[in-house]
């Protein structure tokens, strides 16, 4: 049992420190509003060190419910880095919007705890517990700005549709349990290891399970909550939604498909192909007419999830490596882009219109250059990192014989380039309306600068990401 606690030490650390910060917040002095944010970032940093310290071979704990392997380590590192930078970016906004309450970072901390449990889930029950821990915290932060009608509406929509998706996921899990007699991933995999045909009940259960997971990653046709929640939630919450939960949910999606159902690729591959195509096409087309930049980012996230699912559809180790590389690059691009969005202020008021970026190249050339890098990268223009992310998932699809899927992905990328280049055109070729407030502040400036350099220099230093992603994918297939 002591060894089991050691395997889950990062999660235990976050849970205990979260309770300690909660008590501190309840008894603190009123002028100490921002201290909880820094304590939460310190807790996330401590958890990151524990994850790296405990990295090793696959270890299963708590009677097989929890697994710590190279795949989990890779994704947990991404989630913790993304969450820490998202909290850092939110500090100035929270102060200006009078939202610097100690409950906010604690909710994000427990959402991260749920994500880490999802990533290490080795059982359908553990999967559900981690998923709901994350979701319950995110329902609250989506509606955290109680005096805003849009924020309240976003939280309510997310809660109602999230409850529906949880019900679908649970129904699918119950069908799988009913026909296999197991909820443990290894036991489910063993039921089909000898090549026997899956009962129709398992296939139906798998469809419902995929539907529930597709909602969490906002894949079409379960994307309907994303634009409204992204637009209505406070901007730092939207940034957090677009980063850490997406990485964790994709990680869980891949583990569930490749782990217990790895021998049923023929049954689920066509579903993933459909979801990937629908997400890429709808995300690329629906984003064209958007005028709100947060709503635009919602459709961009849907489109990017479609690209990531191309790698999963391949059903191979190469495909999983492509997914991990893509999500790493996606997280960095999204962090930088939301850093720029959080800097869109005039006279202390937040702006969300895409047209508000007109003339940014003249008024704030450094910020415009960084945003242009992120836009070109998202469009997949070489030699920026976004090109390599798409290259690896499309090559995995081609090597798996999914030629039509890869072609549709390339066409969707060409269509999507329109609205990325439109933003660049507004910044550099249109007359400025009014300059944004200066200075950006060191928090936003550092995040934008570091992520911009990472995207720009990925061509010269791809080794660490590619090697780590390859090791993680191998751990999932060979563990």
């Amino acid at each position: 049992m002591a060894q089991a606690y050691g395997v889950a030490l990062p999660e235990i650390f976050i849970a205990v420190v979260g309770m300690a910060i909660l008590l501190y917040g309840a008894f603190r002095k009123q002028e100490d509003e921002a201290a909880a944010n820094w304590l939460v970032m310190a807790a996330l940093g401590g958890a990151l060190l524990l994850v790296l310290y405990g990295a090793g071979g696959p270890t299963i704990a708590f009677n097989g419910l929890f697994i710590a392997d190279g795949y989990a380590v890779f994704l947990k590192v991404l989630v913790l880095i993304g969450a820490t930078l998202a909290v850092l970016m939110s500090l100035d906004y929270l102060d200006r919007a009078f939202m610097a309450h100690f409950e906010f970072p604690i909710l994000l901390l427990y959402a991260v705890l749920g994500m880490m449990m999802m990533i290490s889930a080795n059982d359908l029950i553990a999967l559900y517990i981690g998923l709901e821990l994350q979701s319950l915290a995110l329902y609250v932060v989506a509606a955290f700005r109680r005096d805003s009608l849009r924020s309240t509406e976003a939280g309510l929509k997310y809660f109602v549709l999230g409850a529906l998706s949880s019900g679908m996921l649970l129904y699918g899990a119950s069908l799988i349990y009913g026909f296999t007699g197991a909820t443990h991933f290894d036991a489910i995999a063993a039921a089909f290891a000898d090549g026997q045909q899956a009962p129709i009940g398992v296939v139906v259960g798998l469809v419902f399970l995929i539907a529930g997971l597709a909602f969490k990653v906002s894949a079409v046709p379960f994307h309907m909550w994303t634009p409204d929640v992204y637009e209505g939630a406070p901007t730092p919450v939207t940034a957090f939604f677009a980063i850490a939960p997406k990485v964790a949910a994709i990680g869980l999606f891949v583990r569930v498909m490749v782990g217990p159902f790895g021998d049923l690729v023929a049954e689920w591959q066509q579903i993933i192909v459909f979801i990937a195509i629908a997400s890429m096409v709808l995300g690329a087309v629906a984003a064209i007419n958007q005028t709100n930049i947060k709503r635009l980012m919602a459709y961009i996230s849907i489109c990017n999830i479609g690209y990531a699912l191309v790698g999963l559809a391949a059903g191979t180790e190469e495909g999983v490596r492509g997914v991990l590389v893509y999500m790493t690059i996606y997280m960095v691009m999204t962090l930088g882009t939301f850093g720029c969005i959080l800097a869109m202020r005039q006279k202390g008021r937040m702006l969300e219109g895409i047209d508000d970026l007109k003339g940014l190249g003249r008024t704030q050339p450094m910020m415009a250059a960084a945003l242009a890098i992120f836009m070109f990268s998202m469009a997949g223009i070489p030699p920026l990192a976004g090109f390599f992310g798409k290259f690896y998932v499309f090559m995995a699809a081609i090597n798996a014989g999914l030629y039509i899927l890869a072609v549709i992905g390339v066409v969707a990328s060409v269509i999507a380039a329109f609205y990325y280049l439109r933003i660049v055109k507004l910044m550099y070729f249109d007359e400025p309306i009014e300059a944004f407030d200066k200075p950006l502040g060191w928090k936003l400036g550092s995040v934008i600068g570091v992520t911009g350099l990472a995207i720009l220099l990925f061509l010269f230093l791809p080794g660490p990401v590619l090697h780590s992603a390859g090791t993680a994918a191998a751990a999932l297939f060979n563990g």
Side-chain angles (χ1 to χ4, degrees), residues 57-296:
T59 308
I60 296 176
F62 300 111
N63 293 323
L65 294 176
F66 188 95
I67 183 169
D69 54 6
Y71 178 78
V73 168
F74 182 91
L75 286 165
K76 286 178 185 179
V77 168
L78 281 189
V79 165
L80 289 167
I81 292 174
T84 304
L85 293 178
V87 174
L88 179 65
M89 288 195 305
S90 71
L91 294 180
D92 291 338
Y93 178 98
L94 296 174
D95 287 335
R96 288 193 304 270
F98 304 103
M99 287 173 53
H101 307 300
F102 74 94
E103 299 93 346
F104 181 81
I106 294 171
L107 286 166
L108 297 186
L109 186 65
Y110 276 102
V112 171
L113 175 60
M115 294 172 211
M116 294 175 71
M117 291 174 63
M118 287 161 53
I119 292 167
S120 284
N122 198 42
D123 187 282
L124 292 173
I125 297 172
L127 175 158
Y128 181 73
I129 292 172
L131 205 58
E132 286 306 297
L133 178 57
Q134 171 205 270
S135 298
L136 289 171
L138 294 182
Y139 296 151
V140 179
V141 294
F144 199 78
R145 197 164 187 177
R146 291 176 295 177
D147 58 343
S148 167
L149 184 62
R150 288 200 311 167
S151 180
T152 307
E153 181 185 357
L156 183 61
K157 284 181 178 178
Y158 189 35
F159 171 70
V160 171
L161 294 171
L164 174 64
S165 76
S166 294
M168 296 172 72
L169 189 144
L170 274 178
Y171 182 61
S174 66
L175 281 173
I176 292 166
Y177 172 69
F179 281 87
T180 63
T183 58
H184 194 283
F185 286 177
D186 293 342
I188 294 172
F192 310 111
D194 56 358
Q196 73 177 69
Q197 186 71 24
I200 188 66
V202 170
V203 176
V204 173
L206 187 54
V207 170
F208 276 98
L209 192 69
I210 291 172
L213 294 173
F215 174 90
K216 301 302 179 184
V217 298
S218 63
V220 177
F222 306 99
H223 66 289
M224 66 290 291
W225 61 275
T226 314
D228 292 334
V229 172
Y230 271 48
E231 183 182 3
T235 306
V237 175
T238 305
F240 185 81
F241 271 38
I243 299 162
K246 283 282 192 297
V247 173
I250 279 288
L252 175 64
F253 209 149
V254 172
R255 186 185 286 282
V256 171
M257 293 297 100
V258 171
F261 303 105
D263 291 315
L264 301 180
V265 174
E267 276 75 12
W268 57 257
Q269 187 181 59
Q270 55 192 330
I271 304 173
I272 303 299
V273 167
F274 169 77
I275 292 175
I277 291 174
S279 299
M280 290 187 294
V281 172
L282 183 134
V285 174
I288 291 175
N289 289 328
Q290 300 305 316
T291 57
N292 182 289
I293 196 161
K294 287 165 64 178
R295 202 171 182 88
L296 173 68

